[in-house]
Amino acid sequence: MKFQFFIILFFLCFNIATVDTKAQTIGNQPEFYKNSLQGSLGFAGLYAAATSNYERIISLPKEKWVTATYLRFGIGAYGVWGGKGNFTYLQYGVFTGKKANHFEISAGPNIGFKEVDSEIPVVSFSTGYRLQKPGKHFMLRTGVGLPESIYLGLGWSF
């Protein structure tokens, strides 16, 4: 009888210790900084674009495949054979992944202003890869977007 009592006591203590450790691990995970500034360069054939972005994380859902939702405001310039122009866009987006590697996708209106002989699309979108660890400032982004084309960008979160 004593032996069974000690086995039950051992399993209860082990279970409580496991739950406590798991709770501490989940509670101590750093979160993403809410604001970031980013710059990117994009090239696609005879098309080139340079963009500066401000991004604000709106929500960080827990226990879902979406890690964060955000709003991104971007302003930039592009050049193409026979024309050039400027653009300004506002995108709503999400990214996935709980650690450092993320898939991101965003879309929204392109509220750009154009110059002579340039055509600006009315929508903007981007999809790609983001390298950003929770609680760290550095960010690297790469992917495909409109009007950014095939881009590579660096950012700083705060």
Side-chain angles (χ1 to χ4, degrees):
M1 187 70 168
K2 278 186 169 180
F3 182 70
Q4 291 173 346
F5 176 74
F6 283 119
I7 288 180
I8 292 171
L9 185 63
F10 172 75
F11 280 115
L12 285 175
C13 290
F14 179 75
N15 190 23
I16 291 170
T18 304
V19 170
D20 188 44
T21 303
K22 191 176 267 190
Q24 287 177 358
T25 305
I26 292 171
N28 291 337
Q29 289 179 344
E31 290 197 352
F32 292 94
Y33 291 105
K34 296 281 188 184
N35 302 296
S36 67
L37 294 173
Q38 309 158 12
S40 64
L41 295 174
F43 298 99
L46 298 176
Y47 179 88
T51 308
S52 296
N53 298 313
Y54 169 74
E55 185 177 283
R56 171 75 179 175
I57 291 181
I58 300 170
S59 69
L60 296 165
K62 301 290 184 197
E63 305 299 326
K64 294 188 178 182
W65 66 276
V66 172
T67 302
T69 61
Y70 59 86
L71 282 175
R72 179 183 298 145
F73 173 76
I75 186 166
Y78 70 92
V80 66
W81 189 274
K84 63 180 180 174
N86 298 315
F87 54 87
T88 305
Y89 59 79
L90 181 64
Q91 295 178 343
Y92 174 78
V94 298
F95 64 86
T96 65
K98 299 293 183 193
K99 296 189 179 175
N101 302 305
H102 310 281
F103 170 74
E104 67 175 11
I105 186 165
S106 61
N110 192 351
I111 48 178
F113 43 94
K114 67 182 202 174
E115 296 181 9
V116 179
D117 297 329
S118 66
E119 296 187 22
I120 295 191
V122 295
V123 296
S124 65
F125 73 90
S126 69
T127 181
Y129 168 78
R130 175 191 289 226
L131 173 68
Q132 181 182 11
K133 292 182 181 179
K136 300 292 182 185
H137 297 286
F138 176 76
M139 174 192 316
L140 177 118
R141 296 178 55 240
T142 185
V144 177
L146 182 67
E148 292 177 299
S149 70
I150 301 170
Y151 65 87
L152 176 67
L154 298 174
W156 186 259
S157 297
F158 55 95

